[in-house]
Amino acid sequence: HEVVARVRAMFKGGLPAKHNLDLNELVGETLKLGQPSIQAGKINVEFRLDSSCPPVFGDRVQLQQVILNLVTNAIEAMNNNGEDPSILRLHTWLDGTSVVLTVSDTGPEIDPDIVDKFFAPLFTTKSQGMGMGLSISRAIVQAHGGSLTARPQKPRGLELQMILPSAGK
């Protein structure tokens, strides 16, 4: 309910409930929500969370929703990996005055020509997808003064990168 209410408020120009937040803590909390899917998919999770990252200023529920969407998309991309290992990587670091989170997977090979379309409303590569998750996620991140981008990985998979300004910047 909170997620829907806050996303709706964001699109109506409402003010989100922003606070100083530890992005590493948000990643950990959010990953707990995805744990059943991670275990069911036999996915290995690799963390490299930089403990020296300063807080970001944001709405906890909205940013958790973005992280959950990125993680869920990665898990779903790896559902049919066959014999290949499924690895979900989460990495945070400080880049100047911004805090960066990357979420990458070992899903299928991605055509570089369609990566920019991932954020377009109603574009989906999933048979059951609505094509709204990444579009809404990007809007949330941009409303927080940041950016959300994607790039294919070699030899396969996708990396999504969320960059947020550190608190007070």
Side-chain angles (χ1 to χ4, degrees):
H1 172 72
E2 282 296 313
V3 170
V4 173
R6 291 196 184 170
V7 169
R8 184 177 290 148
M10 181 187 74
F11 284 109
K12 288 184 176 180
L15 297 175
K18 292 186 175 181
H19 305 282
N20 285 350
L21 304 169
D22 181 327
L23 191 59
N24 291 334
E25 183 180 300
L26 278 178
V27 167
E29 290 173 3
T30 306
L31 209 56
K32 288 178 186 174
L33 298 173
Q35 199 60 37
S37 297
I38 290 168
Q39 289 174 339
K42 298 179 181 157
I43 296 170
N44 296 315
V45 179
E46 295 179 1
F47 289 101
R48 284 192 335 199
L49 305 180
D50 184 348
S51 61
S52 70
C53 287
V56 297
F57 189 67
D59 182 292
R60 175 178 292 279
V61 173
Q62 287 182 358
L63 291 177
Q64 280 181 321
Q65 182 59 37
V66 170
I67 297 166
L68 183 60
N69 186 48
L70 301 183
V71 168
T72 300
N73 284 348
I75 292 168
E76 289 174 356
M78 294 184 287
N79 274 343
N80 297 314
N81 263 0
E83 298 300 314
D84 294 328
S86 296
I87 304 169
L88 172 64
R89 293 181 181 93
L90 298 116
H91 179 196
T92 60
W93 72 93
L94 180 63
D95 185 12
T97 60
S98 299
V99 179
V100 181
L101 166 66
T102 58
V103 177
S104 61
D105 63 65
T106 56
E109 184 177 353
I110 303 293
D111 179 353
D113 294 333
I114 68 165
V115 171
D116 287 336
K117 296 178 185 178
F118 284 0
F119 299 100
L122 306 179
F123 178 83
T124 185
T125 59
K126 302 177 201 173
S127 61
Q128 301 296 319
M130 295 189 326
M132 296 303 296
L134 286 176
S135 176
I136 291 171
S137 292
R138 181 179 261 179
I140 290 170
V141 173
Q142 289 174 338
H144 283 78
S147 64
L148 181 61
T149 58
R151 64 183 177 130
Q153 297 295 285
K154 297 288 180 191
R156 60 191 172 85
L158 185 71
E159 177 183 271
L160 290 148
Q161 184 177 78
M162 178 173 70
I163 301 174
L164 294 169
S166 62
K169 303 294 176 199

